[in-house]
Amino acid sequence: MTAPDAAELRRRTRELLAAHPPATTDRTDFLKARFDAGLAWVHYPVGLGGLDAPRSLQPVVDAELVAADAPDNDPRRIGIGLGMAAPTILGFGTDEQKERFLRPLWVGEEVWCQLFSEPGAGSDLAALGTRAVRDGEGWVVDGQKVWTSSAHLARWAILIARTDPDVPKHRGISYFICDMTDPGVEVRPLRQITGEAEFNEVFLTGVRIPDNRRLGAVGEGWKVAQTTLMNERVSIGGSRIPREGGMIGPVARTWRERPELRTHDLHQRLLTLWVEAEVARLTGERLRQQLVAGQPGPEGSGMKLAFARLNQEISGLEVELLGDEGLLYGDWTMRRPELVDFTGRDAGYRYLRSKGNSIEGGTSEVLLNIVAERVLALPSEPRNDKDVAWKDLSR
Ligand SMILES: Cc1cc2nc3c(=O)[nH]c(=O)nc-3n(C[C@H](O)[C@H](O)[C@H](O)COP(=O)(O)OP(=O)(O)OC[C@H]3O[C@@H](n4cnc5c(N)ncnc54)[C@H](O)[C@@H]3O)c2cc1C
């Protein structure tokens, strides 16, 4: 089959809309029908929600659906599944795994979380100590994960665990899909600076994972995790937004609507940040076009770096612009939000929540190292533990 062009995609989308009118079709039924028609993510293979079409043609489908007021899959609620689990399953999963997991993931029936970071392994993720030990047809997992966003909502997790402590740290890791409802999985909230608990500690005690939920070969989990992490940075820093769609939107609006707050100094800073936000937005657009040609590379790290710095500077400016009012923070009750909503909340929330942007998905310091080594080809950091068995590393 030749890949459909824009006209063909438009025709197929209209056919979907005619067969399942959004106004009278149940939301989930519509999304399932869209997936089955190959119009979910058009660059995915036929039978897995796509049509093997160029990724650049997705906007053709999206525009038709928006014009018809069709429901979407609420991508912010299922960001970890869409942005990280799905590309990893597509890249490394068996046919059976792709069949089982991709449809409910895309439709949003099953939320995913990411069990990577541990109390002793964040930036140095390959040092992780959660153990997966072979037991008959499967694995038994014991350990602790931390900062796990959405674990309290998730049905499935992407999990990396140590399967061989006798080889150097990057080589003894395997990658699994963990059922968050299985016995031995315990999720406890972690309260953040915002007062909310978006993320969690997750304790894994004797959790049994069948071998058919392993992604990639035993011991090759680090390679598989690279796909997840590269995609994570693009999905955090490079999502498609309209002009003034990000953090700069609310502050620019306040500036226009409330002239009494303006000062010359703040004007200069706002203009500079507005231009930088627009440059970052357009760079994100270019990055997405590069993605059309293949997998994300280290450039996504640069994008995520810029996103974190800008969010923190813009939200700081907004608090200053608002004066005393900017220091108000309305709600300190511990809530368990379903998604991170930067623009729909108050300035105080934005200021506090954006602090996490330079930590989540890789800290800014670590991303600077990646850009230095892999984009600028500067000498790498000394790594004395490369050839030492994980079990012999000092901890
Ligand atoms: C909001 C939020 C959501 C998150 N969600 C998830 C999630 O869903 N799943 C998940 O697995 N993890 C998640 N994380 C965890 C995140 O990936 C880690 O916090 C991050 O990788 C840093 O690890 P760490 O906290 O252990 O800090 P550490 O690695 O201990 O770093 C401490 C400090 O040392 C610096 N540092 C470390 N190594 C170097 C180096 N080589 N060069 C220079 N400086 C260095 C760091 O930049 C940092 O400032 C989340 C974090 C946040 C804030």
Side-chain angles (χ1 to χ4, degrees):
M1 189 184 94
T2 49
D5 59 9
E8 175 61 11
L9 286 176
R10 212 168 280 122
R11 189 192 67 72
R12 287 182 188 226
T13 311
R14 288 177 188 168
E15 207 172 84
L16 169 79
L17 288 164
H20 307 273
T24 52
T25 308
D26 170 75
R27 178 177 177 275
T28 306
D29 290 345
F30 181 85
L31 292 171
K32 285 180 178 166
R34 178 175 163 189
F35 187 95
D36 295 338
L39 299 168
W41 32 31
V42 295
H43 60 294
Y44 269 51
V46 173
L48 296 174
L51 292 168
D52 287 311
R55 192 175 184 146
S56 55
L57 293 182
Q58 185 68 47
V60 172
V61 173
D62 294 347
E64 290 288 321
L65 293 171
V66 168
D69 212 10
D72 70 13
N73 58 351
D74 201 355
R76 287 184 310 167
R77 194 178 74 90
I78 53 172
I80 294 176
L82 290 175
M84 294 173 235
T88 314
I89 294 170
L90 185 68
F92 294 91
T94 59
D95 288 347
E96 219 176 7
Q97 288 167 337
K98 291 176 197 167
E99 243 347 270
R100 163 63 188 85
F101 292 113
L102 290 176
R103 189 175 188 251
L105 179 160
W106 187 87
V107 168
E109 289 178 306
E110 292 179 343
V111 173
W112 286 68
C113 69
Q114 179 196 20
L115 292 172
F116 278 24
S117 304
E118 297 183 4
S123 301
D124 187 13
L125 184 59
L128 60 89
T130 292
R131 287 280 279 126
V133 176
R134 193 79 210 218
D135 182 43
E137 287 303 289
W139 300 84
V140 177
V141 180
D142 285 279
Q144 185 197 341
K145 297 288 177 176
V146 75
W147 319 128
T148 318
S149 308
S150 304
H152 53 293
L153 307 167
R155 168 65 208 277
W156 298 103
I158 40 176
L159 162 74
I160 45 178
R162 185 153 310 278
T163 42
D164 187 353
D166 296 324
V167 294
K169 60 182 181 181
H170 292 94
R171 287 199 245 138
I173 294 172
S174 301
Y175 197 119
F176 299 95
I177 294 171
C178 174
D179 186 339
M180 294 295 286
T181 64
D182 270 350
V185 179
E186 189 195 345
V187 177
R188 295 188 200 159
L190 277 176
R191 202 167 183 206
Q192 294 153 245
I193 192 174
T194 55
E196 302 184 335
E198 272 162 51
F199 50 35
N200 306 270
E201 299 180 285
V202 178
F203 294 85
L204 304 162
T205 314
V207 179
R208 303 193 76 85
I209 300 186
D211 193 47
N212 64 8
R213 291 218 208 103
R214 176 168 44 78
L215 275 180
V218 175
E220 302 240 319
W222 187 250
K223 189 173 106 192
V224 184
Q226 289 312 303
T227 295
T228 311
L229 295 174
M230 298 279 198
N231 279 286
E232 176 173 22
R233 280 154 205 164
V234 174
S235 71
I236 292 181
S239 56
R240 170 171 278 130
I241 48 168
R243 180 175 285 176
E244 292 195 5
M247 286 275 213
I248 199 70
V251 66
R253 260 194 310 282
T254 304
W255 183 270
R256 288 187 194 109
E257 288 164 12
R258 301 187 51 187
E260 75 281 7
L261 299 173
R262 297 175 188 169
T263 69
H264 176 71
D265 172 50
L266 290 176
H267 189 213
Q268 295 309 309
R269 281 169 54 201
L270 176 62
L271 286 180
T272 306
L273 287 172
W274 193 96
V275 170
E276 287 184 25
E278 186 58 9
V279 169
R281 188 181 76 83
L282 295 172
T283 308
E285 200 50 52
R286 196 171 57 182
L287 192 67
R288 262 185 303 280
Q289 282 169 20
Q290 278 175 7
L291 272 180
V292 169
Q295 287 296 316
E299 300 80 7
S301 299
M303 191 65 223
K304 202 247 152 185
L305 260 173
F307 164 85
R309 180 183 62 79
L310 274 171
N311 271 2
Q312 290 172 359
E313 288 185 18
I314 293 168
S315 61
L317 175 74
E318 186 180 17
V319 165
E320 271 185 68
L321 175 65
L322 288 168
D324 294 349
E325 210 183 300
L327 298 177
L328 293 176
Y329 182 71
D331 188 356
W332 283 101
T333 52
M334 190 176 98
R335 290 188 298 169
R336 304 284 269 151
E338 285 215 355
L339 46 89
V340 179
D341 178 12
F342 275 122
T343 47
R345 303 281 297 274
D346 55 41
Y349 171 83
R350 274 191 283 281
Y351 180 73
L352 295 173
R353 179 58 184 80
S354 65
K355 298 296 173 202
N357 289 157
S358 50
I359 306 173
E360 59 195 313
T363 68
S364 290
E365 291 76 16
V366 166
L367 298 185
L368 281 171
N369 284 343
I370 293 176
V371 171
E373 291 176 23
R374 301 189 43 203
V375 180
L376 304 176
L378 294 175
S380 58
E381 281 201 314
R383 292 191 177 99
N384 305 327
D385 56 2
K386 250 174 52 189
D387 300 316
V388 183
W390 176 83
K391 67 175 173 20
D392 298 328
L393 295 175
S394 49
R395 270 182 284 283

